[in-house]
Amino acid sequence: MNIKKLNLVYFSPTNGTEKILKKISTAFKNIPTEEFNLTKVENISKKKFRNNECVIFGVPVYSGRVPDVVLERLKAFSGENTLAVLVAVYGNRHYDDALLELKNFVVEQGFKPISAGAFVARHSFSTKDFPIAENRPDKNDLETAVNFGMEIFKKIQENNYDEVLVPGNFPLKPKSPRINSTPSTIEEKCTKCGKCKDVCPVDAIEINEIVKTNSDLCIKCMACVKICPVDARLILDEKLLKISKKLYLNLKEERKVEMFI
Ligand SMILES: Cc1cc2nc3c(=O)[nH]c(=O)nc-3n(C[C@H](O)[C@H](O)[C@H](O)COP(=O)(O)O)c2cc1C
Ligand code: SF4
Ligand code: SF4
């Protein structure tokens, strides 16, 4: 089949997932491509994809699963037996049940998943003191992403729509309990520029005389920490620091991209 359109549907607070999806899409030469970036809720409206299109879904892995906020936002998208590619992006620990969860979800929404990949990107909890997969995706990862795209493109052109099998536990393992911590702000350094508020995917930040973070809304994506131009937004909370340190100490070995085509 010659697909008429490629669609990239992704959630990516710290841009790792976005980078990988864009690289994969470069293999679909001359196919019109549209992006649906779900990171900001205002970008989302109901959309049904036709059966002559292909959708690449990209999600970050949070605690071995697809974040709840992403599943909620994905509900706006449906297909009519539309071909789908599943991409889970994780921070060098593991993707656990995320691909299987994403697959089950998109099947319910009317998609036909034909390929999947698990890619590594910088861990959201990576800091100067505790770097975790700091340079991922690297050159190899990005080359692999292009090759992955080429394999999928070939599979579609050969009319091979076999359903992809992905690893994962069924029933899915329970989600980890929520931590009520958030990144912190060093008020003396903060210029109140508002960049952290603008980038927050769940509108958890309010800026008046000080920067206030709603811990019930915060998903700990660390987009605010990454974007702050003066390093005033940091991981200082003890529980979050402990997680960063533990991951840093335990994730020395670089995991490779896994593809299911
Ligand atoms: C709350 C939270 C939980 C995470 N859990 C995992 C995990 O279980 N395994 C893993 O390898 N990485 C985990 N990560 C790291 C992210 O999957 C990784 O940094 C990903 O690249 C983020 O995607 P983005 O750059 O598109 O935002 C987690 C990150 C956050 C914020
Ligand atoms: S991005 Fe940094 S400097 Fe700007 S308001 Fe947020 S914490 Fe303050
Ligand atoms: S406040 Fe929480 S949810 Fe918002 S950008 Fe920062 S870490 Fe992410």
Side-chain angles (χ1 to χ4, degrees):
M1 176 170 85
N2 283 321
I3 50 162
K4 293 273 179 288
K5 200 177 144 218
L6 178 69
N7 303 281
L8 309 182
V9 175
Y10 59 87
F11 180 86
S12 187
T14 52
N15 310 107
T17 309
E18 178 178 1
K19 207 184 274 177
I20 288 161
L21 250 64
K22 285 187 174 163
K23 218 45 189 176
I24 297 169
S25 74
T26 60
F28 289 67
K29 289 205 169 66
N30 304 323
I31 307 287
T33 303
E34 190 174 356
E35 284 183 39
F36 299 86
N37 184 346
L38 315 185
T39 318
K40 292 298 273 182
V41 76
E42 52 270 27
N43 292 347
I44 305 169
S45 54
K46 266 199 179 312
K47 170 88 188 162
K48 185 163 195 156
F49 298 103
R50 312 287 299 274
N51 64 1
N52 58 5
E53 301 181 52
C54 176
V55 180
I56 308 183
F57 289 98
V59 299
V61 176
Y62 285 8
S63 307
R65 300 283 296 270
V66 181
D68 286 338
V69 63
V70 182
L71 294 175
E72 199 47 52
R73 291 179 188 190
L74 281 176
K75 284 184 187 161
F77 299 87
S78 59
E80 36 185 44
N81 223 15
T82 309
L83 300 183
V85 176
L86 316 170
V87 177
V89 180
Y90 67 104
N92 203 46
R93 187 192 65 74
H94 207 284
Y95 56 93
D96 297 326
D97 293 350
L99 275 180
L100 184 60
E101 185 176 26
L102 181 61
K103 179 182 166 182
N104 294 345
F105 188 88
V106 304
V107 167
E108 283 290 310
Q109 297 291 111
F111 294 92
K112 190 171 167 50
I114 55 161
S115 301
F119 288 77
V120 178
R122 176 186 176 275
H123 199 295
S124 327
F125 282 59
S126 180
T127 66
K128 278 194 194 113
D129 290 340
F130 306 127
I132 312 154
E134 188 60 33
N135 300 314
R136 308 287 296 274
D138 58 18
K139 199 165 156 273
N140 276 344
D141 294 321
L142 296 174
E143 275 172 20
T144 308
V146 179
N147 291 336
F148 177 62
M150 290 195 316
E151 293 275 340
I152 298 162
F153 193 55
K154 195 167 130 232
K155 181 170 172 170
I156 296 172
Q157 288 200 312
E158 288 169 352
N159 298 325
N160 175 356
Y161 311 131
D162 288 348
E163 187 177 312
V164 68
L165 296 176
V166 296
N169 297 288
F170 200 81
L172 307 170
K173 278 199 212 151
K175 297 212 168 183
S176 311
R178 250 188 89 81
I179 307 172
N180 231 26
S181 312
T182 72
S184 312
T185 309
I186 303 177
E187 293 298 338
E188 305 78 61
K189 271 191 169 183
C190 172
T191 60
K192 312 286 179 287
C193 70
K195 288 191 174 168
C196 52
K197 179 180 163 62
D198 293 344
V199 84
C200 179
V202 292
D203 285 334
I205 297 177
E206 202 186 299
I207 305 180
N208 292 307
E209 295 84 57
I210 60 161
V211 177
K212 260 200 191 159
T213 311
N214 183 330
S215 62
D216 291 333
L217 294 178
C218 176
I219 56 168
K220 287 144 257 311
C221 69
M222 304 301 163
C224 52
V225 174
K226 189 170 177 226
I227 205 156
C228 178
V230 293
D231 289 338
R233 191 83 178 155
L234 297 167
I235 300 180
L236 296 177
D237 173 271
E238 238 175 74
K239 276 191 217 142
L240 297 178
L241 268 183
K242 210 169 144 193
I243 298 172
S244 282
K245 187 173 181 184
K246 190 169 160 207
L247 291 168
Y248 164 73
L249 292 173
N250 290 317
L251 304 182
K252 299 288 185 202
E253 197 178 317
E254 290 199 359
R255 293 184 59 92
K256 291 200 168 57
V257 173
E258 287 176 63
M259 293 180 279
F260 311 90
I261 296 172

